[in-house]
Amino acid sequence: MLTSLSVDEMYQNMKVALKDIVPDVELRYKAELAVEINRLKKEKNAVILGHNYMEPALYYSIPDFKGDSLELSRKAAQTDKSIIVFCGVKFMAETAKIINPDKIVLLPSEKAGCSLAASITAEDVRLLKARFPGVPVVTYINTYADVKAESDICCTSGNAAAVVESLKSDTIIFIPDEYLAKNVAQETGKHIIFPRLYSGSTNTDTSLDYQMIGWPGRCEVHEKFTVDDIRSIRQQFPDVVILAHPECSPEVTSASDFSGSTAAMIRYVEKTNAPRYLLLTECAMGDNIAAANPEKEMLRLCSVRCPHMNQITLEDTLKSLQNNQYEIEVPEEIRVRAVKSIQRMLAIG
Ligand code: SF4
């Protein structure tokens, strides 16, 4: 158990996984922080959930559970600990609080937001529902609680197509990620439109024949990858296998060899034996997969670190446990509506 390691044992453990990724001088200091965090975690009966985008030294030292949004939502729903420390971003910690209203949920940095979650408000969803009455609303988990409260069901990048198909509805509102929506529309054979809700909107598709209604939100990390990036990598390394997150544009996912959630990408790399891989996603995750698969060659296209995930450090996680900061609160009136959309998703699997 990582929780009971001495500083020296933790340092040696981290060194095995991270010797090519984190400089040695940093490792010992980070091992000291990690041991203190694990001691406090035990003392305070806390559980630490770590998203796949956490920086490698944190990812390999303190989380009790690691995974993507869906896996961590499930773990948050099952925990019997009284404090949940969420090493991820605010919408994830909010999701944990929505599911566990009686527990203390802590986010180590107040600055860990998300461009996608910030792209839509509850009022936007109400306007969409007024414009398309009776159409079920599928909301990506990367949204804040008040947006989830306006929704029928949540989804993650791992189960988005399954959630859409489970509704058996002729038409679906799918918010807020434009690219994920387009990728799901492509996968499920649906025609998607992006209606003009406000004057000045650049959305122009007013086709009468549609089955999905989207929203122009974007992940500021995944929107940066381009087909030109893929072309140039394939020119240099013709045998590379390219994996893209579904928050990348449909042009990028189509030009890749595989598209899936962070958990699906990890499984893909573990189960295949390609000469080399390139992951089109947040770059800490590339480091974390490389550390877990030292015998596999991972190419780096990595100038793309999520500025929000990057806020979560071992230092701030220690302060979070020491001072019970920053506690996530969700108004009960919003929580009771939001939890239904999360529970419906978790029931689908
Ligand atoms: S990687 Fe993209 S979707 Fe994830 S937290 Fe960062 S901005 Fe949001």
Side-chain angles (χ1 to χ4, degrees):
M1 278 291 288
L2 287 176
T3 307
S4 52
L5 295 184
S6 67
V7 171
D8 208 49
E9 288 165 334
M10 177 66 82
Y11 165 72
Q12 294 300 340
N13 253 16
M14 291 167 81
K15 198 170 165 178
V16 169
L18 305 174
K19 62 181 181 317
D20 298 328
I21 294 166
V22 181
D24 195 63
V25 287
E26 264 185 54
L27 270 187
R28 181 160 282 279
Y29 164 67
K30 299 217 171 192
E32 285 170 13
L33 287 171
V35 166
E36 180 56 10
I37 290 168
N38 286 337
R39 188 194 65 74
L40 261 181
K41 174 173 77 178
K42 211 168 162 187
E43 184 182 298
K44 299 187 91 166
N45 192 31
V47 63
I48 297 184
L49 306 180
H51 190 265
N52 290 328
Y53 293 168
M54 288 296 100
E55 57 120 344
L58 186 156
Y59 188 79
Y60 279 96
S61 60
I62 58 168
D64 298 286
F65 300 103
K66 299 185 272 201
D68 62 9
S69 304
L70 179 60
E71 291 167 326
L72 295 180
S73 304
R74 289 211 178 96
K75 293 297 175 196
Q78 289 160 5
T79 187
D80 59 355
K81 304 286 184 189
S82 36
I83 299 178
I84 298 171
V85 181
F86 214 118
C87 290
V89 291
K90 186 179 170 194
F91 72 81
M92 297 177 181
E94 266 194 1
T95 303
K97 181 67 181 178
I98 291 167
I99 301 170
N100 294 284
D102 299 331
K103 296 187 194 298
I104 294 172
V105 177
L106 303 175
L107 181 68
S109 168
E110 283 182 306
K111 295 184 193 147
C114 169
S115 67
L116 193 49
S119 74
I120 192 162
T121 64
E123 179 58 17
D124 294 329
V125 189
R126 286 192 286 272
L127 279 173
L128 273 172
K129 291 199 292 188
R131 172 90 174 265
F132 300 96
V135 176
V137 179
V138 178
T139 293
Y140 193 27
I141 196 112
N142 299 26
T143 46
Y144 292 120
D146 55 348
V147 167
K148 290 187 176 82
E150 296 293 336
S151 311
D152 293 286
I153 184 165
C154 285
C155 74
T156 69
S157 57
N159 64 13
V163 166
V164 164
E165 282 175 342
S166 77
L167 293 175
K168 305 203 185 323
S169 173
D170 291 341
T171 317
I172 279 162
I173 296 172
F174 189 104
I175 52 175
D177 188 329
E178 174 185 342
Y179 287 159
L180 178 64
K182 285 179 171 169
N183 281 316
V184 171
Q186 200 165 286
E187 192 179 340
T188 55
K190 297 186 190 306
H191 178 210
I192 187 163
I193 60 162
F194 292 85
R196 204 189 290 262
L197 275 194
Y198 301 100
S199 58
S201 164
T202 52
N203 298 316
T204 52
D205 188 344
T206 52
S207 162
L208 291 176
D209 167 31
Y210 57 83
Q211 295 91 34
M212 278 176 76
I213 298 141
W215 184 259
R218 301 242 184 114
C219 161
E220 68 190 278
V221 173
H222 292 100
E223 72 172 349
K224 291 200 176 81
F225 296 109
T226 65
V227 174
D228 278 346
D229 293 334
I230 294 181
R231 235 177 255 132
S232 111
I233 287 281
R234 287 209 199 276
Q235 261 165 18
Q236 288 178 67
F237 303 98
D239 55 2
V240 66
V241 168
I242 300 180
L243 288 71
H245 192 277
E247 288 166 16
C248 295
S249 75
E251 293 76 21
V252 165
T253 56
S254 298
S256 302
D257 299 293
F258 175 81
S259 174
S261 67
T262 55
M265 286 194 223
I266 291 171
R267 284 194 296 274
Y268 187 98
V269 171
E270 281 170 358
K271 289 189 174 154
T272 56
N273 256 318
R276 48 182 65 85
Y277 299 88
L278 174 70
L279 302 182
L280 300 182
T281 187
E282 213 277 344
C283 58
M285 176 163 146
D287 286 339
N288 291 333
I289 297 191
N293 298 274
E295 73 295 354
K296 296 187 179 173
E297 187 181 337
M298 313 292 296
L299 300 179
R300 297 280 197 276
L301 186 70
C302 222
S303 49
V304 198
R305 180 80 175 105
C306 170
H308 311 286
M309 294 282 183
N310 203 26
Q311 296 295 331
I312 306 295
T313 60
L314 283 166
E315 288 86 344
D316 284 341
T317 307
L318 178 57
K319 282 191 210 139
S320 176
L321 269 167
Q322 285 168 332
N323 307 323
N324 269 13
Q325 67 190 30
Y326 294 90
E327 189 168 351
I328 298 290
E329 302 286 358
V330 177
E332 185 62 7
E333 175 272 324
I334 289 176
R335 192 198 71 79
V336 291
R337 290 187 291 131
V339 77
K340 289 185 194 150
S341 63
I342 297 170
Q343 282 167 344
R344 280 186 77 186
M345 172 190 78
L346 292 175
I348 285 178

